[in-house]
Structure formats: C-alpha cells, structure tokens
Amino acid sequence: MRFNHPLMYNNFTNLDLVKVKQLLSKRNIILTQSDQVEKFEKAWSKWLGVKYSTFVNSGSSANFISIKILNILSNNSKKNEIIIPTLTWVSDVNSVIMNGYKPVFVDVNLSNLSMNVDQVLKKINKKTLAVFITHAQGFNGLNDRLLKELKKRKIHLIEDVCESHGAKYKNKKLGSYGLISNFSFYYAHHMTTIEGGMICTNNKKIFEISKMLRSHGMVREAKNNIFEKKMINKYKDLSKKFIFLYPTLNFRNNEIGATIGLNQLKSLNKNNKKRTINFKFFLKKLDSKKYFINFDLVGSSNYAFPLILNTKSLKVRDKYLTINNIEFRRGNAGGGNQLRQPYIKEFVKIKNFSKFKNVERIHFFGYYIGNYPDLKKEKIVKIVHILNKIKF
Ligand SMILES: Cc1ncc(COP(=O)(O)O)c(C=O)c1O
C-alpha cells in the first residue's frame, strides 16, 4: 500500500459509538441541549480547573460570544481596541470586528507561535479593552511579564485554547488564566464532539451571560431565579418565558455531542501524553538545517507537528508534501498571516508586512501535519525520513 499520512486518524472511537447508541436507544429522549450537555460542562470545568463552562456548537461561536460578553460588560467604556495575533484563526479576528472593536495586530514568536509580548505591551494604550491571545498548535503563549502587566493596567485577557487542550503554563492549564477562555472540539483537534466549543470562566455573571447569549439572549437560560424575577418585574408586558435581553442567535450544541465529549474527555490526558512523546521524538529526528526546531516545549500539548522550512525558495514546498502523500495545511494556525486575507482589508489597512516578520515566514514556509494518538514511532521515522530529504 502506498505511504500516506493524514492530518487525523481514528478520532471517533468504537466506545464513542457505543455511548451514542446507548443514548439513542433510550425511550422518550431529548436530543437537543439537556442533561448530557450540563454533565459535560461540569466534567470539562473540573478537568480544566475553572468554575464554569458553557458548551456551544463551535469554537468560533465560543470566540464570538466571549467578545460579545466583553462588549456587554464594558457597555459605557470608550475602550474600543482589542490586541490580537496575526497568526490565529479567522473567527478570533471576526469576533472582534463583528462586535464593533478595532483589531490591533501583533507579530508572533517562532518558538511558540504566539503573540510577541514586547509588541503587545507597546500597543497597549488608553483604548485597549483586552488582549485576545491564541495558544497556537499546542504551545503556551503566556509569561509572567504579560500576566503582570495586564493585571496592573486592568486589561482583560481572553484565551483562545482551541488548538491547545491540556497545555500548561506553570502548573495550571491554559484556559484557566484569562477572564474567559475558548476551546474547539472540531474533528482534527485534541478531542471531538463532531462540532463543538466551550466557553470557560471563573466568573458567575459571565457564565450566566454566556448561557443567555448561546440561546437567543433568553433570560431564563441564565438559570438564576433572583435575576429572572427581577427581569420579569421589569418587563411586565412580556411573556415570562420569552424575555430576550441581548441580540444574538442560537449557538447551542446537543446531547449527542455532549455524550461523545464526555467519553472523549476520559482519554484526553492519555492521548495528549502520547502526542507529546510523538512530538518530542519527531523534533529530535528533524533536520535542523532544513527546519526550525527551537520550539518552546515547556507545558506544550500539540495535536499536530508544526514545520517551518529554513528556506526562501517557493519552489518545492507544497509539491513535495503532496507528492509524498503527507496531508498538510500551510500557514500553521489558520492559514498564516490574517492580515493578508481579503476579509480584513476593509477594516485594517496595512500594506507593509515587514513589521510582522515571523508570521510572514510562517505564512509562506510554515505547515502542520498530523500528530494523532495512534501514530506509531516507526511511522514517524518514515515521515521524518521523507521530510529530511527535501531539497530547496
Ligand atoms: C485557534 C482557533 N480558534 C478558533 C477556532 C474555531 O473553532 P471551530 O472550527 O470549532 O469553529 C479554531 C478552529 O480550528 C482555531 O484553530
């Protein structure tokens, strides 16, 4: 059989199927958001080390709702800028734009694919409402300097951990540092719920708003009796069950997704350990003359092998991986430099990309390829053997 290396393999297990079948065979079942969703949220909060989690239908929805919450909480504030990395997923940027904020971009480091903290601190001003960090491809993007400065200057930290489940800074998981954090359970990530995302926080009010924003802005979704009574008294002309407080849509997930999530969560730590061992082995074998290998592995939890070519030649690149049947995505997280995408042109006018040196390199010479728990050492040896033979 011809050699091939997919981005992901066997992410939906037989046991997941058994659990879904058990759910579906119950009589009179409710499959829309119900008990399993709440159970999954509680289990996720416990695993992450936060008080509250809200299960939604995607990581993008988690991004959008998080920035919407900031918007609601800082209603009268004149602060209208959110600092964001150039290397991130498109929904992070769109959540900022769609909530009426100005995205202020910074470059990233090659070593952790996350925000350059010097640039973040330089761009903070009176208008800065928040820093929306992305912990890209399993690497930790936090450090003490950033955390201390944000606290001192009272700037919110929102963490996008969609690509870094289980990664840590010091002894705490990423996603437990920020005011709000986001996860994605899309197919090729650390674990799946088919589609899905999570909004996490230690703040009860934020938790309650997130539940309302997930479901049409409905007051009863907050599940806070005192607050609900207050709203019923305030809006006496409305049906008690239909008080829509915020403009939003339906971002709910369902019982099947939650059932899969609950089962997948049981193997997450074990699978992450395998992936970390795989990644370290892979990096050791990779030719440092041809690829950047100085990644900061402390606390990392990678679901994919990042590859950054040491070349300025566009000649071989994609073609080499395609010929060798290695599935890839170019541009690492989210296809590379977001500033180059057509959707952003209306909002940010940057023609000179040289201030964003590292993301530019990643944009043209960065990739990721699969690192799934079933991947065996022998196969990694073969993959690296192919990769190391690339000629620029
Ligand atoms: C960093 C990051 N944020 C957000 C998302 C969006 O997640 P979803 O695909 O579940 O909408 C992704 C998706 O891959 C991502 O990588």
Side-chain angles (χ1 to χ4, degrees), residues 230-294:
K230 218 166 112 185
M231 291 299 115
I232 291 170
N233 269 331
K234 188 170 174 187
Y235 301 105
K236 289 202 173 70
D237 57 328
L238 299 178
S239 162
K240 289 178 188 176
K241 294 279 180 215
F242 292 112
I243 305 176
F244 303 111
L245 202 57
Y246 304 116
T248 179
L249 302 168
N250 171 4
F251 296 107
R252 292 189 302 258
N253 210 305
N254 61 56
E255 294 290 276
I256 298 175
T259 299
I260 298 168
L262 275 164
N263 194 53
Q264 291 243 331
L265 184 54
K266 289 184 200 152
S267 328
L268 182 60
N269 291 343
K270 187 181 74 198
N271 285 343
N272 283 352
K273 262 187 204 145
K274 283 191 202 164
R275 287 175 147 130
T276 301
I277 292 169
N278 279 350
F279 184 43
K280 285 182 179 162
F281 181 72
F282 172 82
L283 268 188
K284 241 195 229 162
K285 302 254 165 218
L286 204 62
D287 185 345
S288 62
K289 285 194 219 81
K290 293 184 173 165
Y291 300 92
F292 176 87
I293 60 158
N294 295 323

Side-chain angles (χ1 to χ4, degrees), residues 25-48:
S25 62
K26 283 182 190 160
R27 293 193 58 161
N28 193 24
I29 43 165
I30 295 172
L31 287 175
T32 48
Q33 180 187 295
S34 190
D35 298 353
Q36 294 305 304
V37 167
E38 215 172 308
K39 212 169 145 192
F40 179 39
E41 290 171 339
K42 290 208 165 104
W44 183 262
S45 296
K46 192 167 171 219
W47 174 83
L48 182 62

Side-chain angles (χ1 to χ4, degrees), residues 45 49 59 72 101 113 121 127 135 172 202 235 280 286 308 311 326 360 362:
S45 296
I72 289 166
Y101 292 107
L113 306 180
L121 299 182
K127 290 187 189 159
H135 300 294
K172 272 174 60 177
N202 282 314
Y235 301 105
K280 285 182 179 162
L286 204 62
I308 304 172
T311 178
I326 296 175
E360 280 289 276
I362 289 164

Side-chain angles (χ1 to χ4, degrees), residues 57-63 87-92 132 134-137 160-163 182-187 189 195-197 303 333-334 368:
N57 56 6
S58 74
S60 323
S61 303
N63 293 153
L87 186 75
T88 182
W89 190 251
V90 60
S91 56
D92 292 55
F132 191 6
T134 299
H135 300 294
Q137 300 205 316
D160 183 329
V161 203
C162 288
E163 300 185 4
N182 304 154
F183 290 83
S184 162
F185 304 118
Y186 180 64
Y187 173 71
H189 289 193
E195 295 277 4
Y303 73 91
Y368 73 84

Side-chain angles (χ1 to χ4, degrees), residues 100-305:
Y101 292 107
K102 180 181 165 198
V104 175
F105 286 92
V106 295
D107 199 11
V108 295
N109 312 303
L110 291 182
S111 57
N112 64 0
L113 306 180
S114 195
M115 292 171 129
N116 176 317
V117 170
D118 286 333
Q119 288 193 15
V120 173
L121 299 182
K122 259 189 218 151
K123 299 218 166 161
I124 290 178
N125 63 48
K126 276 191 275 177
K127 290 187 189 159
T128 310
L129 178 67
V131 169
F132 191 6
I133 198 168
T134 299
H135 300 294
Q137 300 205 316
F139 296 110
N140 161 48
L142 297 177
N143 64 28
D144 275 358
R145 194 163 148 241
L146 178 70
L147 291 173
K148 235 162 93 187
E149 284 297 323
L150 296 185
K151 197 170 169 196
K152 197 171 98 190
R153 302 187 201 193
K154 295 193 170 55
I155 288 165
H156 301 302
L157 174 70
I158 312 294
E159 292 181 87
D160 183 329
V161 203
C162 288
E163 300 185 4
S164 300
H165 311 52
K168 286 182 177 171
Y169 175 55
K170 296 193 167 163
N171 56 357
K172 272 174 60 177
K173 288 198 179 86
L174 301 182
S176 63
Y177 283 90
L179 178 67
I180 312 173
S181 66
N182 304 154
F183 290 83
S184 162
F185 304 118
Y186 180 64
Y187 173 71
H189 289 193
H190 294 72
M191 61 169 262
T192 189
T193 59
I194 309 177
E195 295 277 4
M198 202 68 96
I199 302 159
C200 310
T201 185
N202 282 314
N203 181 308
K204 189 163 179 275
K205 189 170 176 192
I206 288 177
F207 175 52
E208 289 172 359
I209 298 175
S210 74
K211 286 189 292 181
M212 288 188 274
L213 289 176
R214 165 175 72 178
S215 199
H216 308 290
M218 241 184 311
V219 163
R220 68 178 140 104
E221 289 286 326
K223 293 202 174 137
N224 175 334
N225 287 338
I226 298 169
F227 170 71
E228 198 177 334
K229 272 190 193 138
K230 218 166 112 185
M231 291 299 115
I232 291 170
N233 269 331
K234 188 170 174 187
Y235 301 105
K236 289 202 173 70
D237 57 328
L238 299 178
S239 162
K240 289 178 188 176
K241 294 279 180 215
F242 292 112
I243 305 176
F244 303 111
L245 202 57
Y246 304 116
T248 179
L249 302 168
N250 171 4
F251 296 107
R252 292 189 302 258
N253 210 305
N254 61 56
E255 294 290 276
I256 298 175
T259 299
I260 298 168
L262 275 164
N263 194 53
Q264 291 243 331
L265 184 54
K266 289 184 200 152
S267 328
L268 182 60
N269 291 343
K270 187 181 74 198
N271 285 343
N272 283 352
K273 262 187 204 145
K274 283 191 202 164
R275 287 175 147 130
T276 301
I277 292 169
N278 279 350
F279 184 43
K280 285 182 179 162
F281 181 72
F282 172 82
L283 268 188
K284 241 195 229 162
K285 302 254 165 218
L286 204 62
D287 185 345
S288 62
K289 285 194 219 81
K290 293 184 173 165
Y291 300 92
F292 176 87
I293 60 158
N294 295 323
F295 291 107
D296 182 0
L297 299 181
V298 181
S300 72
S301 173
N302 302 72
Y303 73 91
F305 296 146

